[in-house]
Amino acid sequence: MTVPQNNTPTPPGWYPDPSGSGQLRWWDGNAWTGNAWNPPGQAGAGQPAAGQAGAGQAGPGQAGAAQAGMGQPAAAWPEAARPGPYGGPGQYGGPPQYAGPVQPAPRPEISKQTPVYDPFIWLVTLLPVITLIILLLWNPVFHLRYVGARRVPTLDPSAFSVPYFLLIVSGWLIYGVSVLLSYLDWQKLQRDGVVRPFHWTWAFLGAGVYVVGRSVIVHKVAPQRGLAPVWALIGLVAVSFILVAVKASMIVSTIAKALPM
């Protein structure tokens, strides 16, 4: 691949391949591209003549030599053979050649004997149960303390006992462990033959995101299977909302009794 050596830019177009392949290669105005073309019915069109070999091998940077040997090469080829840069209209009025984004190949289905569940995904789904258990064990008793000369009533911080701090710490630990387990589950799915399984890094947004995305992909490659973790997650979320609402009402009631009327 060569770069123009003079100050006069060579316009984009089809020029003899500098590698000597006998085809025409597209010059985008700055560098050679990977687009090569052999004109139908003109097998020798891309071969530079003996007197033009130097111009063909030197690249379009030597505009004078190239134009002397070839003129405007692209002007001699059909419109369909003149793609413009970035998929837009051709340099000489040709139609756009951009075919759109490449679509990934569909995922093949896996064997019915291949398991779609493993301990990793069930741990990712059910680990929040630990937080719920700690929440149920936390039964704070609030007391008032009178602070300062004006005897301002404030809640005694001793009400935030060990279970409260375990609740905070366990949340972060479960988050980190869920990311690790998602990675192990992702590897297991690849070993089992699942093509492009839901990527484990989505677990950084939350374990539930990974569980749902993973289940959708697995359900595609294993019809009628793979959605059990989603249903378990839905049930766990529903139970969590109920328990959190009950615990929150109990805490509010306790605080209201501790405050002076």
Side-chain angles (χ1 to χ4, degrees):
M1 302 299 175
T2 58
V3 178
Q5 300 296 324
N6 57 10
N7 295 327
T8 303
T10 301
W14 293 99
Y15 295 88
D17 189 351
S19 67
S21 66
Q23 295 179 309
L24 300 180
R25 187 166 296 278
W26 182 259
W27 173 264
D28 65 5
N30 295 304
W32 294 107
T33 69
N35 297 326
W37 183 59
N38 192 14
Q42 302 183 36
Q47 298 276 4
Q52 300 170 356
Q57 296 297 324
Q62 299 181 359
Q67 292 180 2
M70 295 291 295
Q72 291 289 342
W77 316 125
E79 293 291 329
R82 307 177 204 159
Y86 312 112
Q91 177 71 16
Y92 301 95
Q97 298 296 309
Y98 181 62
V102 178
Q103 298 296 328
R107 296 178 177 88
E109 294 185 6
I110 61 177
S111 170
K112 293 183 178 180
Q113 287 71 38
T114 303
V116 295
Y117 307 120
D118 54 62
F120 306 123
I121 187 60
W122 286 119
L123 286 173
V124 172
T125 305
L126 300 177
L127 271 179
V129 172
I130 298 176
T131 304
L132 291 179
I133 294 174
I134 298 175
L135 180 63
L136 292 176
L137 293 177
W138 182 42
N139 296 308
V141 178
F142 295 98
H143 302 284
L144 289 179
R145 295 178 58 184
Y146 295 92
V147 180
R150 301 182 61 181
R151 307 287 293 173
V152 178
T154 58
L155 290 176
D156 189 345
S158 62
F160 300 95
S161 54
V162 175
Y164 171 78
F165 293 102
L166 285 177
L167 193 65
I168 301 300
V169 174
S170 67
W172 286 104
L173 288 177
I174 290 174
Y175 174 80
V177 173
S178 296
V179 172
L180 175 60
L181 292 172
S182 299
Y183 170 73
L184 297 176
D185 176 70
W186 176 73
Q187 283 191 323
K188 180 66 166 57
L189 289 176
Q190 287 185 314
R191 291 195 299 268
D192 289 341
V194 178
V195 177
R196 299 191 311 276
F198 194 70
H199 205 276
W200 64 274
T201 52
W202 286 99
F204 283 106
L205 296 180
V209 176
Y210 177 77
V211 171
V212 173
R214 185 254 196 207
S215 300
V216 170
I217 298 300
V218 171
H219 184 65
K220 287 182 178 180
V221 300
Q224 301 180 355
R225 296 190 295 161
L227 295 180
V230 173
W231 294 114
L233 179 65
I234 293 173
L236 183 60
V237 170
V239 172
S240 300
F241 273 117
I242 295 173
L243 293 180
V244 169
V246 171
K247 181 61 69 171
S249 64
M250 293 173 59
I251 292 175
V252 170
S253 177
T254 304
I255 294 176
K257 290 179 181 179
L259 293 175
M261 300 303 293

